[in-house]
């Protein structure tokens, strides 16, 4: 399901009023060259600059004096408009450029010169360091005569000089094949296997017969050996593969490698300690996603930043946000909460499932036989609230819960008690952009039934978990949940529009029966009231098969209610049947995992990988982990543990999808402030950040230019421009936090 649409801005709308035409002169173009006068032999026409840039000819080049003290890349720029692009045609974008002094980074783009200012290709070379001549090939995703070639030069404290020559956008060239570097053909969990857990690897090979393998320790000594199991061609990757099982080896250690068919795997540990770190890092992610709060560098070295969206210029702020025109006549203080993903929007319908999964991570730690609630206790996450005698994970979740409560329509207003679906910028913003530098108007979008039920479910869950720490807050949450429930019953069909995707993701959901079930389940578990019990039992969702190949997420929340009904103590009639349904779902995922040469509980219909497939793998693993909590059967525990191998490197691309974990891991997730790829002054995403992973639909232009015809697992690229395969989100990281905590508990 398409999660959202995230535009990469080219030159912002500000440029529409801030351009200076350069001196006019005739310029020619051949039949495939789209740039006019890219050689600057005698003139600079039709190139323009922003009004703060002085440019002219110098030795047959365009040279521009760039002022210092600008904030954003697009605050100073050189460009050419009226570029024609043909959908599906490949182009070679090339230019020569230097910077004085050396080391400045330029953002070179091909995009749309009018709203919504989409970018179709961008690069960010460090001038006079990475060379002087640059050439790139991409495929246009659109037909347009309003294209633009631009060079964004701002964002620096000091003035500098930019010189440009031989700019070309040549159409009709042969596309350059994209061949990812997949490293050694032995694919392993690059982080760690548990000493007493399963240990499996995948070998990519042309061989059809069995091959020998060796496990070597850090000193190179062989400590185990065996033979591979040929598996044939794997549909999810198109590769001929063998499986390797070395689970009989249980000795702890670091720096192991697996050798087979003349290849040596990337190193890995046999130890549980990495998962203790990942348990915390995946949950620490949320602090740097906070809105309305300055992020402290002493708590997150390298990630300190000013508070965003408090109304401090250029922000318009979140403390008094109006609705979209015609939606309401009031403003709301909707400050706080987490930024949803790589943009600055905040969404109730995704914040709900994210908060539920974090709270459930803690609830499981309290109630499961292997749970260790103290591992998520006060002081574990190094957040501002640490030391207040409340578990840190509850403090972190509360930052979002308070925002969700603020999104409720006030008493006395139409649709009182419902929740606004989302709030975000009026228009899409570009990358990179710190939250504190966002100048866009913020807007509340219409209330929706789905958002209202997300609020009801998470607030009801919060009521039972915070009761022993803050009774007034628990009571406030329960009152809001009841009010939201009543409002949703009164307005059961107010659905978010699929077309409401300007400035933020739509998060449209056309079926809210699962949300009703989830909310009723949480209200029943927190109150024990008969009326909520009756709602739970009467919903068709209660007996439906919820554990499909693509399991639960923000648009499919029925399993959230089912899992909690199966594990949170209650007097629900027929609870054993609920638990059996979870076990049945786990059996299905276990069958999928065993049949999969890469050992994961995810095999989508038609091998069509979903947006955010990495978290779908993890949420399916959550069902396996829950079946283990219910039954104590080792097969479910082992299946859940093995599912993590795919995420951490045992996959066709031989990459860990978690930043900072594994020898080769995703580093360039799509983000406006974790944007080191675009601005060396900004950081990569923090350790423990999950990338979305393969997405067969490759919706973004960058992925389309590189991954056309990709098969399953290969529909991914670790680039900040690829928002459809490589974004990070709060709900995806919640799945990682939940599974990391489970695996750590098994250590």
């Amino acid at each position: 399901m398409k999660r959202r649409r995230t535009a990469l801005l080219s030159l912002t709308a500000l440029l529409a009023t801030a351009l200076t035409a350069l001196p006019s002169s005739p310029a020619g173009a051949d039949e495939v060259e789209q740039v006019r006068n890219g050689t600057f032999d005698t003139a600079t026409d039709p190139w323009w600059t922003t009004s703060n840039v002085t440019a002219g000819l110098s030795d047959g080049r365009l040279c521009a004096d760039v002022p210092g003290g600008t904030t954003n890349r697009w605050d100073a720029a050189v460009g050419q408009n009226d570029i024609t692009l043909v959908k599906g045609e490949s182009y070679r974008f090339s230019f020569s450029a230097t910077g004085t002094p050396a080391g400045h980074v330029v953002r070179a783009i091909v995009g749309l010169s009018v709203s919504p200012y989409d970018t179709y290709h961008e690069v960010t070379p460090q001038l006079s360091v990475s060379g002087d001549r640059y050439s790139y090939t991409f495929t246009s995703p659109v037909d347009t005569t309003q294209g633009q070639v631009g060079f964004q030069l701002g964002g620096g404290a000091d003035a500098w000089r930019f010189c440009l020559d031989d700019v070309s956008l040549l159409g009709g060239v042969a596309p350059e094949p994209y061949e990812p570097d997949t490293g050694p053909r032995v694919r392993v969990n690059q982080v760690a296997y548990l000493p007493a857990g399963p240990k499996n690897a995948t070998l990519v090979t042309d061989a059809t017969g069995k091959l020998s393998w060796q496990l070597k320790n850090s000193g190179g000594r062989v400590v185990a050996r065996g033979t591979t199991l040929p598996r044939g061609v794997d549909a999810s990757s198109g590769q001929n593969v063998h499986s390797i099982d070395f689970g009989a080896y249980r000795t702890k250690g670091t720096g192991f490698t697996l050798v087979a068919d003349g290849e040596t795997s990337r190193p890995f540990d046999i130890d549980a300690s990495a998962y203790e770190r990942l348990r915390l890092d995946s949950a620490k992610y949320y602090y740097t996603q906070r809105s309305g709060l300055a992020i402290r560098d002493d708590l997150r070295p390298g990630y300190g930043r000013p508070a965003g969206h408090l109304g401090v210029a250029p922000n318009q702020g979140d403390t008094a946000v109006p609705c979209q025109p015609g939606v309401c006549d009031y403003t709301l203080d909707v400050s706080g909460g987490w930024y949803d993903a790589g943009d600055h929007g905040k969404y109730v319908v995704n914040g709900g499932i994210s908060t539920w999964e974090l709270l459930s991570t803690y609830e499981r730690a309290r109630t499961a036989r292997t749970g260790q609630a103290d591992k998520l206790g006060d002081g574990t996450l190094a957040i501002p609230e640490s030391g207040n005698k409340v578990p840190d994970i509850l403090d972190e979740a509360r930052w979002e819960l308070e925002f969700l409560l603020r999104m409720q329509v006030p008493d006395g207003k139409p649709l009182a008690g419902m929740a606004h679906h989302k709030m975000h910028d009026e228009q899409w913003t570009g990358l990179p952009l710190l939250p504190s530098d966002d100048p866009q108007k913020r807007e509340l979008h219409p209330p929706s039934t789905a958002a209202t039920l997300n609020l009801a479910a998470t607030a009801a869950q919060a009521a039972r978990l915070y009761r022993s720490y803050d009774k007034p807050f628990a009571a406030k949450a329960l009152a809001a949940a009841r009010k939201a429930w009543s409002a949703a019953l009164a307005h059961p069909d107010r659905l978010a529009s699929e077309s409401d995707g300007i400035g933020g993701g739509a998060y449209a959901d056309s079926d809210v029966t699962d949300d009703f079930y989830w909310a009723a389940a949480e209200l029943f578990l927190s109150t024990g009231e008969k009326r909520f019990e009756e709602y739970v039992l009467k919903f068709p969702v209660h007996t439906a098969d919820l554990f499909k190949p693509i399991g639960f997420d923000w648009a499919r929340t029925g399993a959230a209610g089912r899992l909690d009904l199966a594990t949170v103590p209650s007097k629900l009639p027929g609870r054993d049947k609920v638990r059996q349904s979870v076990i049945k779902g786990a059996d299905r995922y276990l069958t999928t995992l065993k049949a999969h040469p890469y050992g994961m509980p995810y095999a989508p219909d038609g091998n069509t990988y979903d947006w955010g497939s990495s978290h779908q793998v993890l949420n399916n693993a959550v069902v396996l982990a829950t079946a283990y909590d219910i039954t104590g059967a080792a097969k479910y525990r082992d299946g859940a543990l093995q599912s993590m191998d795919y995420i951490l490197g045992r996959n066709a691309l031989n990459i860990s999808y978690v930043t900072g974990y594994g020898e080769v891991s995703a580093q360039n997730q799509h983000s406006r402030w974790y944007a080191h790829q675009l601005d060396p002054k900004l950081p990569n995403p923090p350790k423990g950040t999950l990338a979305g992973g393969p997405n067969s639909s490759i919706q973004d232009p960058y992925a389309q230019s590189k991954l056309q015809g990709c098969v399953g697992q290969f529909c991914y690229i670790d680039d900040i421009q690829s928002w459809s395969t490589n974004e990070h989100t709060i709900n995806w990281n919640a799945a990682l936090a939940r599974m990391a905590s489970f695996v750590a508990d098994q250590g």
Side-chain angles (χ1 to χ4, degrees):
M1 175 178 294
K2 185 173 180 179
R3 186 181 77 85
R4 56 210 302 246
R5 175 183 179 273
T6 303
L8 279 169
L9 213 61
S10 60
L11 296 173
T12 69
L14 295 174
L15 295 189
T17 58
L19 303 184
T20 301
L22 293 171
S24 175
S25 181
D30 62 35
E31 60 183 7
V32 293
E33 177 59 68
Q34 301 306 314
V35 168
R36 289 153 290 154
N37 185 27
T39 58
F40 309 108
D41 293 332
T42 59
T44 57
D45 178 72
W47 293 84
W48 50 257
T49 71
T50 47
S51 58
N52 58 347
V53 172
T54 301
L57 289 180
S58 176
D59 298 326
R61 300 178 298 167
L62 183 156
C63 288
D65 291 316
V66 183
T70 55
T71 301
N72 303 302
R73 290 291 179 84
W74 51 82
D75 290 344
V78 173
Q80 183 177 132
N81 292 343
D82 303 320
I83 299 289
T84 296
L85 297 171
V86 177
K87 184 176 182 179
E89 182 163 316
S90 293
Y91 295 83
R92 181 177 298 115
F93 177 36
S94 59
F95 56 92
S96 297
T98 60
T100 309
H104 282 276
V105 175
V106 61
R107 183 182 184 220
I109 62 118
V110 180
L112 191 61
S113 64
V114 297
S115 181
Y117 303 99
D118 287 342
T119 295
Y120 308 128
H121 184 72
E122 71 170 81
V123 291
T124 52
Q126 191 172 12
L127 301 181
S128 304
V129 174
S130 54
D132 295 335
R133 180 66 183 166
Y134 307 95
S135 181
Y136 311 91
T137 302
F138 72 99
T139 302
S140 173
V142 297
D143 288 311
T144 184
T145 58
Q146 295 179 300
Q148 174 190 82
V149 169
F151 297 88
Q152 299 181 4
L153 313 170
D158 302 320
W160 63 291
R161 186 168 176 82
F162 169 69
C163 290
L164 181 67
D165 201 4
D166 298 325
V167 185
S168 172
L169 186 66
L170 199 64
V173 302
E176 293 182 4
Y178 172 66
E179 296 182 6
D181 180 4
T182 58
R185 290 183 287 106
V186 184
R187 309 291 157 77
V188 297
N189 177 332
Q190 296 176 29
V191 177
Y193 298 88
L194 297 189
K199 301 173 191 70
N200 294 276
T202 299
L203 169 67
V204 179
T205 177
D206 292 332
T208 56
K210 293 181 179 181
L211 299 170
S212 62
W213 59 260
Q214 296 177 330
L215 177 66
K216 294 184 177 182
N217 64 15
S218 59
R221 183 170 65 88
V222 176
V223 295
R225 62 180 75 238
T227 56
T228 64
L229 175 65
R231 302 293 295 271
V233 176
D234 164 43
S236 73
S237 65
Q239 301 166 323
N240 190 76
V241 297
H242 292 202
S243 292
I244 297 172
D245 183 347
F246 58 106
Y249 186 80
R250 296 190 166 205
T251 303
K252 287 176 61 175
T254 62
F256 289 95
T257 54
L258 200 60
V259 180
D261 199 23
E263 295 275 309
T264 300
S265 75
R266 288 174 175 149
F268 56 88
D269 296 345
I270 298 178
D271 190 13
S273 60
Y275 294 100
E276 292 290 354
R277 295 192 297 273
L278 183 55
R279 184 209 307 261
L280 300 181
D281 284 341
S282 57
K284 285 181 176 181
Y285 157 90
Y286 291 91
Y287 175 56
T288 52
Q289 288 294 113
R290 287 193 192 186
S291 175
L293 182 78
I295 303 305
R296 288 168 45 183
D297 201 67
D298 63 315
L299 297 180
R300 296 293 185 276
Y303 291 89
R305 59 171 173 80
H309 299 99
L310 282 182
V312 178
N315 279 180
Q316 299 190 37
D318 288 353
T319 56
V321 179
C323 284
Q324 288 179 302
V327 171
C328 74
D329 63 357
Y330 51 83
T331 64
L332 291 181
D333 176 358
V334 289
S335 56
W338 301 317
Y339 296 117
D340 180 72
D343 63 299
H344 300 139
K346 298 186 294 192
Y347 308 79
V348 173
V349 80
N350 200 48
I353 194 71
S354 307
T355 304
W356 167 79
E357 194 143 26
L358 270 197
L359 292 177
S360 293
T361 299
Y362 181 68
E363 193 157 30
R364 183 211 165 265
R366 284 179 51 180
T367 60
R369 60 167 59 85
T370 60
Q372 301 180 69
D374 62 302
K375 298 292 188 178
L376 295 167
D378 188 22
T380 56
L381 299 184
I383 55 178
E385 298 83 0
S386 293
N388 66 355
K389 299 182 180 180
V390 176
D392 278 1
I393 196 167
L394 294 187
D395 283 324
E396 188 58 68
R398 183 166 174 170
W399 191 262
E400 178 73 0
L401 281 164
E402 296 276 15
F403 160 73
L404 297 177
L405 294 173
R406 293 186 185 111
M407 291 288 280
Q408 196 161 28
V409 177
D411 291 341
K413 298 295 184 179
L415 306 178
M418 294 197 77
H420 288 273
H421 195 73
K422 57 180 183 166
M423 67 80 53
H424 53 65
D425 292 331
E426 183 179 35
Q427 298 291 332
W428 284 108
T429 56
L431 282 73
L433 185 67
L434 286 172
S436 54
D437 294 333
D438 177 13
Q440 282 281 337
K441 176 186 176 184
R442 308 281 271 178
E443 293 181 328
L444 292 166
H445 289 244
S448 72
T449 307
T452 304
L453 292 165
N454 269 258
L455 173 59
T458 52
Q461 182 188 25
R464 65 178 181 266
L465 289 175
Y466 290 84
R467 197 170 289 143
S468 58
Y469 299 103
D470 188 336
K471 286 185 178 179
F473 176 68
K476 175 184 176 182
L478 185 56
R482 292 182 186 277
K483 184 181 294 185
W485 174 259
S486 296
L489 289 177
H491 306 283
D493 54 2
R494 296 189 70 90
L495 305 179
S497 171
E498 181 68 52
S499 63
D500 187 13
I502 301 300
Y507 282 110
D509 187 354
S510 60
D511 181 1
V512 294
T513 55
D514 55 335
D515 302 291
F516 269 109
Y517 175 70
W518 174 34
E522 300 298 347
L523 281 159
F524 166 72
L525 290 171
S526 291
T527 68
E529 293 177 10
K530 192 72 173 178
R531 60 171 176 147
F532 297 121
E533 174 189 300
E534 291 173 350
Y535 274 112
V536 166
L537 296 176
K538 79 174 184 180
F539 275 119
V541 179
H542 187 56
T543 54
D545 179 9
L546 300 178
F547 303 111
K548 302 294 180 64
I550 296 178
F552 64 90
D553 69 355
W554 66 267
R556 294 176 291 272
T557 60
R562 184 77 62 83
L563 292 171
D564 280 1
L565 289 170
T567 56
V568 177
S570 76
K571 296 181 179 179
L572 181 74
R575 185 167 180 260
D576 285 346
K577 289 184 178 179
V578 174
R579 292 159 74 87
Q580 284 300 318
S581 73
V582 174
I583 295 167
K584 183 178 179 180
D587 286 337
R588 179 180 301 161
Y589 291 142
L590 200 57
T591 298
T592 298
L593 180 147
K594 290 179 177 179
H596 203 299
Y598 277 98
M600 55 176 160
Y602 178 74
D605 293 340
N607 198 34
T608 302
Y609 275 58
D610 194 42
W611 202 325
S613 62
S614 59
H615 100 294
Q616 296 290 359
V617 172
L618 290 170
N619 277 342
N620 289 359
V622 165
V623 179
L624 289 165
T626 304
Y628 171 68
D629 288 339
I630 293 171
T631 67
K635 62 179 181 179
Y636 301 121
R637 169 188 178 271
D638 288 354
L641 295 178
Q642 189 174 336
S643 301
M644 287 291 284
D645 296 345
Y646 166 83
I647 297 296
L648 298 175
R650 186 194 173 193
N651 52 57
L653 289 171
N654 204 1
I655 186 173
S656 166
Y657 290 114
V658 181
T659 300
Y661 281 81
E663 187 174 84
V664 176
S665 67
Q667 298 290 325
N668 299 306
Q669 287 96 321
H670 176 83
S671 171
R672 281 156 176 74
W673 60 100
Y674 309 135
H676 185 77
Q677 187 181 356
L678 299 179
D679 185 343
K681 296 189 298 293
L682 294 174
N684 287 117
K687 290 187 301 181
T689 300
L690 180 69
N695 173 6
S696 296
S697 297
I698 55 172
Q699 287 93 340
D700 66 85
Y702 189 79
Q704 290 169 0
S705 73
K706 299 289 187 181
L707 304 177
Q708 289 290 343
C710 60
V711 176
Q713 291 192 54
F714 281 99
C715 298
Y716 170 81
I717 187 166
D718 181 26
D719 194 284
I720 197 169
Q721 298 178 71
S722 184
W723 39 262
S724 68
T725 79
N726 200 39
E727 196 161 11
H728 65 94
T729 74
I730 55 175
N731 63 313
W732 299 347
N733 240 71
L736 176 64
R738 184 163 180 173
M739 278 307 301
S741 186
F742 175 84
V743 177
D745 284 345
Q746 310 317 307

